[in-house]
Amino acid sequence: MGQALRLGMELVAGVAVGGFIGWALDRFLGTAPILMVVFFGLGATAGILNVMRTAKRMQADAQSGKDMPHVPDDDDD
Amino acid sequence: MIEAAYAAEDASHGTHDGGLPNPMHQFEIKRLVPFELFGFDASFTNSALYMVIAAALITLFTVFAMRRRALVPTRLQSVAELSYEFVANMVQQNVGTDGMKYFPFIFTLFMFVLALNMLGMLPYSFTVTSHIIVTFALAAFIFIAVTLIGFWKHGVGFLKFFVPSGVPVVMLPLLVVIELISYLTRPISLSVRLFANMMAGHTMLKVFGAFVVALGFLGGWAALAFMVAFTGLEILVAFLQAYVFAILTCIYLNDALHMHH
């Protein structure tokens, strides 16, 4: 559940940040709503890019066993 | 106006008209010591109180556990050593040996978030990390610090981080903007993840707690059994989210120090 939530969040965060940047630029330059639409698309792309990267890292971590917290074995056996 | 709203909220004791407790009541900020600074409301709240408790607990724990520095550690000293080694390994694996300079910060961050999450699991306590402004302040601090470290280590060359390699020049302006947005989402996803997990979990606990009472002696046992299992899961989530917060900080730090995805 945690991993799926994380991937979904990455996607939404990309769109939200992109949309916000577009909205702020629009307000600043008075070009509403062109930049917001453009940055919405760019944000979605960035979100998908983030999801791909996170998924890739998750896969690499799962294969090397790094996805679980690593506790060193300090037994003396 | 606001005072009246506060008074009404206090009078209702967080109950709906139906009599069930309001699951959001537990997240309410209460002003313990009202205080104003340059026109800003800087009151000492219950949130601030729990942060102070967490900081004091961690300091007491580490100082008290390590006071004897025995070669054969006591149980408490073992716990302190284990948490040290746990974070040290995390930094070592994800950032590398040159990242150990930042170990004190990562350790403090991990222990602070962990203590806040775990304190929230106590009945009648307040979960500081269930407020997005707290987690966002932490994430924004990390984001700005990591970016500054990147520029400090690599100078203007850090901007190459946003230029993907092996791409036709025509595509570059578009890709740089996308990379920049992707970089800017980091504080958002970092803070929302911790906040959403903590808030959703505690709301669920409260809702099912209300079911136990509402379903009465006959039906309440099923909800109670679920509550017991879910409390165990919430303790796991409290630890895991502190771990994820710390490890993502390590990953961002690694990006700033070594500049590769």
Side-chain angles (χ1 to χ4, degrees):
Chain A
M1 187 193 84
Q3 289 201 327
L5 198 69
R6 212 175 124 187
L7 287 175
M9 201 107 64
E10 299 280 355
L11 193 63
V12 175
V15 178
V17 169
F20 178 76
I21 293 174
W23 175 78
L25 281 178
D26 267 344
R27 266 186 72 123
F28 206 65
L29 306 170
T31 50
I34 304 158
L35 283 178
M36 185 169 161
V37 174
V38 171
F39 272 85
F40 207 81
L42 290 175
T45 320
I48 294 169
L49 188 71
N50 277 347
V51 169
M52 298 285 288
R53 280 196 185 132
T54 314
K56 243 179 219 163
R57 194 162 54 221
M58 278 176 181
Q59 207 163 26
D61 286 355
Q63 267 157 16
S64 63
K66 251 166 66 178
D67 56 334
M68 284 292 139
H70 176 76
V71 178
D73 178 22
D74 53 9
D75 289 345
D76 294 322
D77 54 19
Chain B
M1 184 66 193
I2 296 170
E3 299 299 327
Y6 272 118
E9 177 70 32
D10 281 345
S12 68
H13 284 289
T15 49
H16 285 311
D17 295 332
L20 284 180
N22 180 354
M24 290 302 170
H25 185 66
Q26 56 177 323
F27 303 121
E28 197 187 326
I29 297 273
K30 293 187 188 73
R31 271 176 283 192
L32 302 179
V33 183
F35 180 60
E36 208 162 274
L37 199 67
F38 307 119
F40 291 103
D41 188 2
S43 309
F44 190 79
T45 60
N46 52 351
S47 177
L49 176 68
Y50 274 92
M51 287 190 218
V52 171
I53 292 176
L57 267 183
I58 297 163
T59 314
L60 276 178
F61 161 67
T62 41
V63 169
F64 184 74
M66 296 309 292
R67 112 204 94 115
R68 304 239 310 275
R69 289 192 196 83
L71 196 61
V72 180
T74 57
R75 259 176 296 184
L76 203 61
Q77 192 183 334
S78 285
V79 176
E81 284 178 3
L82 208 67
S83 47
Y84 175 92
E85 271 178 40
F86 180 70
V87 181
N89 269 305
M90 192 196 315
V91 177
Q92 193 84 252
Q93 281 189 346
N94 289 290
V95 193
T97 313
D98 53 338
M100 286 306 276
K101 242 191 308 181
Y102 305 100
F103 167 76
F105 173 67
I106 309 275
F107 183 75
T108 314
L109 186 75
F110 174 71
M111 291 303 273
F112 189 56
V113 176
L114 182 67
L116 289 179
N117 288 354
M118 286 299 180
L119 277 175
M121 289 311 296
L122 295 175
Y124 296 104
S125 69
F126 177 81
T127 322
V128 180
T129 42
S130 65
H131 278 261
I132 187 154
I133 191 63
V134 174
T135 59
F136 186 73
L138 283 173
F141 177 80
I142 292 164
F143 177 74
I144 293 169
V146 161
T147 311
L148 287 180
I149 288 171
F151 277 113
W152 176 56
K153 280 269 167 192
H154 305 281
V156 190
F158 184 61
L159 289 174
K160 276 205 214 99
F161 184 71
F162 301 110
V163 184
S165 55
V167 177
V169 186
V170 197
M171 294 288 286
L172 270 182
L174 191 64
L175 286 173
V176 168
V177 174
I178 291 173
E179 286 285 346
L180 203 62
I181 295 176
S182 152
Y183 188 71
L184 288 175
T185 58
R186 283 174 171 191
I188 310 277
S189 59
L190 187 61
S191 58
V192 170
R193 186 176 305 122
L194 178 60
F195 143 79
N197 271 290
M198 297 318 289
M199 202 192 76
H202 283 266
T203 311
M204 276 277 270
L205 279 179
K206 197 66 168 227
V207 168
F208 275 86
F211 282 174
V212 177
V213 182
L215 290 173
F217 187 74
L218 285 177
W221 294 102
L224 185 66
F226 180 82
M227 276 284 286
V228 172
F230 197 73
T231 306
L233 181 72
E234 268 308 295
I235 290 174
L236 178 76
V237 167
F239 172 77
L240 214 62
Q241 286 307 316
Y243 172 71
V244 167
F245 202 84
I247 205 163
L248 280 171
T249 308
C250 286
I251 289 170
Y252 296 161
L253 197 59
N254 183 41
D255 281 347
L257 289 178
H258 305 121
M259 272 180 61
H260 46 68
H261 287 294

